[in-house]
Structure formats: structure tokens, C-alpha cells
Amino acid sequence: EAAVTQSPRNKVAVTGGKVTLSCNQTNNHNNMYWYRQDTGHGLRLIHYSYGAGSTEKGDIPDGYKASRPSQENFSLILELATPSQTSVYFCASGDALSSAETLYFGSGTRLTVL
Amino acid sequence: TQTVSQSDAHVTVFEGDSVELRCNYSYGGSIYLSWYIQHHGHGLQFLLKYYSGNPVVQGVNGFEAEFSKSDSSFHLRKASVHWSDSAVYFCAVSQNTGYQNFYFGKGTSLTVIP
């Protein structure tokens, strides 16, 4: 069964600190995505990746970096965390070979920046 | 830019009732549409999708959706809901242009009263 695992599940960080959110998928999917979910906004795309070594900016990339060191792993990095980045973050993988891609989501990371 | 509108933020029904969750989109190109479900504290899970062919698509757990190009709609329906269907439902539109950016609606929270 397709599996996307995120860690940590919950994170409290201080303003100005560095935060790394991790995502691992065992689906062997090429595409991976980072979204944030906020009340009133739904899901918004931060960064995505076509495969190992690639990262692309999504709709709201400012303040975030991404890293895809391997097919399985995709990290989201907040170099200088701010309270506005308090949110729930979801990682997803998708099968780029499908003409109508289906996304498989992790369970999310709840990040609070104080 | 594609937009997805889910007109009802909250829907409450009784167990055994039928329900329709509305989704309208705006986009002029070749797209596909999907619905995802999110139970409290979990990531999104795929329900169903439409790409081409029969405009009525069947999904898991008795859900179906109907695509209408003339109305720019993709409404989700279920004939008889169960209390376990209580969740937030997201409509998404995406296009296949190298990467598949999904645009999600803000979600409809469905509450089923036993």
C-alpha cells in the first residue's frame, strides 16, 4: 500500500530558528509536494519536485526551501521561522506516469512558531 | 489561474440522508477534477477523479461525482450517508502541463448526525 510518512507530527519552534520537516514515501513516485493548510485558505502549494535532485517553487515559496536528496525523501526547510508560518504542513507524492495524477498524502505536521 | 469554489463551508445531514457537495471551477484548458476527503487529524485521501469519458464517476464508499462542462461543476453525491462520512471534503482541479499543480477548494465540512 502506498505510504507517505511525515516527521515530526508536531513541532514548536522559536522565531528565527531553523525548522526542517521531513517526508518519506515508499510509493516510488516521481512527484512530491509540500502544502500548507490554513483555515480559510484550503491547501496551498509551497514547493514540489519531479524527482531526486529537483525542487521547484510552488505558489507560496517565500520563506521556504526544499530538498530532494533521493526518490524517497523530500524535506521542507524554514531557515528563519516566523509566526506567520504556524500552520499544518502536508507532504504528498504523485505518480507522474498517470495522465490524471492521484496524490497520496502524509498525516501532516503541525508547526507552531512562537 | 485556476479557481475552485466550494460554496458550502458546512453541511449537516442525518444518517441515511442523501447529500450533494458542490464544486465549481474556472479554467479554460484541459483539466481533470478530483475529490479528496480529510478526516479530523489526518491527511487527505483520494475519493474519485474525472479526466474524460462518462461524466459520472464512481468512487470509494458509495460516493459519485458528475462533471458538467456547461456548468463548470463537479458535484459530489452520496445517496445514503453514514456517520463515518463526517469529514472535510476537498474538490481539486489540476492540469497536465509538465507538472500537475492541484488547486484545491477551501473544503466543505460534512457533519452526519446519527
Side-chain angles (χ1 to χ4, degrees):
Chain A
E1 183 178 329
V4 179
T5 305
Q6 294 183 234
S7 62
R9 287 300 308 274
N10 294 280
K11 174 72 177 180
V12 178
V14 296
T15 298
K18 181 177 181 178
V19 177
T20 300
L21 307 183
S22 300
C23 179
N24 176 274
Q25 56 112 350
T26 58
N27 307 324
N28 197 31
H29 288 162
N30 290 329
N31 290 354
M32 294 188 76
Y33 305 83
W34 276 107
Y35 291 90
R36 63 178 284 176
Q37 183 178 36
D38 303 285
T39 304
H41 288 281
L43 278 83
R44 293 180 289 174
L45 181 66
I46 306 170
H47 283 287
Y48 61 97
S49 169
Y50 292 124
S54 94
T55 61
E56 305 291 339
K57 294 180 180 179
D59 297 323
I60 53 164
D62 292 346
Y64 302 93
K65 291 171 60 177
S67 173
R68 183 87 181 268
S70 64
Q71 179 82 337
E72 297 79 18
N73 295 295
F74 190 38
S75 298
L76 185 67
I77 303 152
L78 291 66
E79 294 279 5
L80 295 170
T82 69
S84 65
Q85 294 175 313
T86 293
S87 186
V88 180
Y89 291 84
F90 288 99
C91 175
S93 72
D95 182 359
L97 297 179
S98 170
S99 59
E101 188 176 41
T102 296
L103 296 182
Y104 297 86
F105 285 84
S107 297
T109 294
R110 182 174 296 276
L111 173 65
T112 302
V113 182
L114 302 176
Chain B
T1 301
Q2 302 169 53
T3 62
V4 181
S5 173
Q6 295 182 244
S7 54
D8 298 314
H10 301 279
V11 173
T12 300
V13 297
F14 288 95
E15 196 167 41
D17 286 351
S18 63
V19 70
E20 179 179 85
L21 306 182
R22 303 174 63 81
C23 173
N24 291 89
Y25 64 91
S26 64
Y27 186 68
S30 176
I31 60 169
Y32 65 94
L33 297 138
S34 47
W35 278 95
Y36 287 79
I37 180 174
Q38 184 181 33
H39 288 102
H40 182 69
H42 294 272
L44 280 70
Q45 289 181 282
F46 171 76
L47 266 182
L48 49 73
K49 64 185 173 186
Y50 171 80
Y51 182 64
S52 64
N54 188 338
V56 179
V57 291
Q58 305 294 325
V60 297
N61 205 22
F63 285 96
E64 68 173 30
E66 182 167 5
F67 168 70
S68 171
K69 187 173 183 178
S70 60
D71 293 340
S72 297
S73 69
F74 189 55
H75 301 328
L76 181 70
R77 300 189 293 249
K78 187 168 182 179
S80 177
V81 294
H82 187 264
W83 64 267
S84 60
D85 293 324
S86 295
V88 181
Y89 292 79
F90 291 92
C91 180
V93 60
S94 51
Q95 56 183 128
N96 191 351
T97 57
Y99 81 95
Q100 299 188 17
N101 191 4
F102 286 72
Y103 292 91
F104 288 87
K106 294 182 179 180
T108 296
S109 176
L110 174 66
T111 299
V112 180
I113 300 172

